[in-house]
Amino acid sequence: GREVIAVDRFFPSSKLCSACGALQNKMLLHVRTWTCGCGAVHDRDVNAAKNLLAAGLAAAACGDGVRPQRSTPGGQSSMKQEPRRATAGIPRL
């Protein structure tokens, strides 16, 4: 009686702040707790579980997948889309 929703293996569930949605660019695997710029302190596994639950609930409610869609600009899913910035020649950090 349950629905299983597959989340893309590259979904940044442990690096995405479950409080504000900010994405941490780099995080080594041995880092188990981290503090977001918004002040939220996260246990990496608990934070990932919250983000995966939210992604699954959004997919169930909206009927959308949690895998990146190649047909949308930037290949982002519909649950978290941000406008593309004009950063020609500027490396991403």
Side-chain angles (χ1 to χ4, degrees), residues 17-22 24 34-42:
C17 177
S18 59
C20 73
Q24 303 297 311
W34 57 278
T35 303
C36 180
C38 72
V41 179
H42 298 289

Side-chain angles (χ1 to χ4, degrees), residues 8-92:
D8 187 88
R9 66 184 274 189
F10 296 108
F11 179 69
S13 60
S14 64
K15 300 188 308 182
L16 186 66
C17 177
S18 59
C20 73
L23 179 64
Q24 303 297 311
N25 288 329
K26 291 186 179 182
M27 187 180 307
L28 299 175
L29 288 175
H30 74 273
V31 176
R32 303 316 305 160
T33 60
W34 57 278
T35 303
C36 180
C38 72
V41 179
H42 298 289
D43 173 278
R44 190 170 183 154
D45 296 327
V46 173
N47 182 59
K50 289 178 183 179
N51 285 324
L52 291 170
L53 174 63
L57 291 174
C62 300
D64 188 26
V66 186
R67 293 187 172 107
Q69 297 174 352
R70 303 295 180 220
S71 61
T72 59
Q76 297 173 330
S77 70
S78 62
M79 73 173 249
K80 173 89 175 152
Q81 287 193 18
E82 297 176 359
R84 292 180 62 109
R85 294 182 228 157
T87 57
I90 302 173
R92 274 191 145 177

